[in-house]
Amino acid sequence: MHTSAVFAPAEDAHAPNTCQSIVRTSRGDFLVQVAWPLKWNTDRTLPANETAHQEISTMYSTVVVGVGYPMPPAKAIYDFRRGPDLTPPSRNGEYDAPLGSDGKPRTDISFGEADQFLEFIANDVKQYVETILFPHVSLVASGRRALLGHSYGGIFALNALYTKPELWSTVVAASADIEFNKGKLVSEQETDFRAKTLVGPAPSLIITYGDEPQDLIRGPTESEADYQRRVAYAEESGTRDAAKKLVERFDGHPNLKAIAVREFPGEDHGSAAVTGFQHGVVEFLTRGF
C-alpha cells in the first residue's frame, strides 16, 4: 500500500558535532577527523551553564581524533602509506617484508617512518586540536589521552608507547604484531623504553586480539573453501604467545602503570579491531585504565 510520504532529494549525511580537515604536509596529505560530545555546542564550545563545566571531566566528555588518508587519492582505508607511516625504524635498515602472491618478499611497500608520523601527530595534530578547534576547553589539552591502533596501527601504538610514553595515559594495541620485523621492535624500541626513567606518570597498555588459525574448527555444514577463508583472516600464529611474553617482560616494571591482555574468541584479525577498540575505550573511560 502506498503512503503520502514525500522524500526530499538525497544529500550527504554528516554526524553532528564532527569536523574534518585535509592537512598538506611534505609527507603527503592526511585527513584529520574530529568528534566531540553532543551536549557541547556545534561550534566546539561548552554550553553556558555551570553544570556543563563540571561535567567536562566525566567519562562522557571525550574528544575523538582520527588520522588517516583522504580519498582520493587513497583508493582504500588501508592505503599503501600505512607501511612506512605505521612501522618503526630498524637500526640496520633491514625489514622483513611480507610475501606476495608469488611467494617472494614484496617490493611495492616500504617501512620504518613511524617516528616521523608520530611527530606529526604529537606536534601538528595535537596543536591543531587544542589551540585551533578547542581553545576555550582547557581540559582537552590537560586531560587524559589515549592512543588506539589496530594491525599496523597496533605496531604504531606500541612504538608510540615506547618512544613517547609521556604523551599517553593509555595505549591500546589491537591485533598488533608485537614481534614485528623479526623481533626488532622488542629488541630495539621496547628495550630502550624499559631502560628509561620516566619523568611523569607511567602509562597503561591494553593488548587485544582474536582467534589464531589453530583455534578454528570447521563447522559441520561449512565448506572447505569457507573454512580456509576463515583461516586466512585469522590472527597470525604466535600472537597470543607474543602477548604473554610481553606481559612477562613488564612484570613489576615501573614504566607501565598497568597492562592487560584481552582475547576475543570468535573474532578474526579484522573484526577484532572493533571489539578491541570498544574494550579499550571502555577500560579507558570507565575504569581509569
Side-chain angles (χ1 to χ4, degrees):
M1 182 178 66
H2 294 289
T3 69
S4 59
V6 178
F7 288 82
E11 58 185 38
D12 291 341
H14 301 279
N17 283 22
T18 62
C19 65
Q20 66 181 37
S21 175
I22 293 179
V23 188
R24 315 288 184 187
T25 80
S26 60
R27 304 185 64 252
D29 294 349
F30 292 95
L31 177 65
V32 175
Q33 298 173 304
V34 181
W36 58 98
L38 292 178
K39 69 173 179 287
W40 295 11
N41 298 323
T42 57
D43 64 353
R44 303 181 299 279
T45 59
L46 296 176
N49 62 72
E50 189 64 27
T51 301
H53 284 272
Q54 294 173 353
E55 288 178 348
I56 187 174
S57 62
T58 73
M59 64 183 180
Y60 301 108
S61 295
T62 303
V63 173
V64 179
V65 181
V67 183
Y69 308 104
M71 297 175 63
K75 296 181 180 179
I77 295 175
Y78 300 107
D79 188 82
F80 277 163
R81 288 170 62 193
R82 294 172 66 252
D85 282 345
L86 301 180
T87 56
S90 167
R91 289 174 184 166
N92 64 6
E94 296 179 357
Y95 299 93
D96 185 25
L99 301 181
S101 57
D102 58 358
K104 298 179 181 179
R106 291 176 57 179
T107 58
D108 59 337
I109 52 177
S110 58
F111 306 93
E113 298 179 14
D115 290 348
Q116 293 96 307
F117 185 45
L118 179 57
E119 285 297 323
F120 165 66
I121 294 174
N123 295 324
D124 300 276
V125 176
K126 184 174 180 290
Q127 182 179 19
Y128 171 70
V129 171
E130 294 174 357
T131 64
I132 303 300
L133 294 185
F134 300 96
H136 305 298
V137 186
S138 60
L139 282 180
V140 170
S142 62
R144 298 170 63 239
R145 190 178 298 112
L147 175 68
L148 292 78
H150 168 259
S151 193
Y152 269 25
I155 299 174
F156 177 81
L158 288 174
N159 182 70
L161 169 71
Y162 298 151
T163 60
K164 296 286 187 181
E166 69 279 1
L167 291 179
W168 322 108
S169 304
T170 302
V171 168
V172 181
S175 301
D177 182 1
I178 295 172
E179 297 182 343
F180 170 74
N181 200 20
K182 297 182 178 179
K184 286 188 176 68
L185 178 62
V186 174
S187 63
E188 297 179 0
Q189 285 82 4
E190 182 189 306
T191 298
D192 288 349
F193 171 65
R194 287 191 281 113
K196 287 181 179 179
T197 300
L198 301 188
V199 176
S204 296
L205 172 62
I206 301 173
I207 299 172
T208 68
Y209 51 87
D211 283 334
E212 297 183 28
Q214 69 272 16
D215 302 322
L216 305 180
I217 300 175
R218 181 179 172 184
T221 61
E222 185 177 26
S223 69
E224 179 64 22
D226 287 343
Y227 172 67
Q228 291 301 329
R229 190 176 297 109
R230 285 202 297 128
V231 170
Y233 290 145
E235 301 283 17
E236 291 285 339
S237 294
T239 297
R240 183 183 298 106
D241 287 343
K244 291 179 179 178
K245 290 176 183 178
L246 186 148
V247 172
E248 292 173 359
R249 291 193 297 270
F250 280 99
D251 183 30
H253 200 284
N255 284 1
L256 283 181
K257 172 186 174 183
I259 184 170
V261 177
R262 179 70 184 272
E263 182 176 351
F264 295 103
E267 305 294 348
D268 59 30
H269 180 74
S271 64
V274 179
T275 51
F277 284 180
Q278 182 183 44
H279 174 74
V281 168
V282 169
E283 290 288 296
F284 175 70
L285 294 181
T286 68
R287 296 168 191 164
F289 200 93

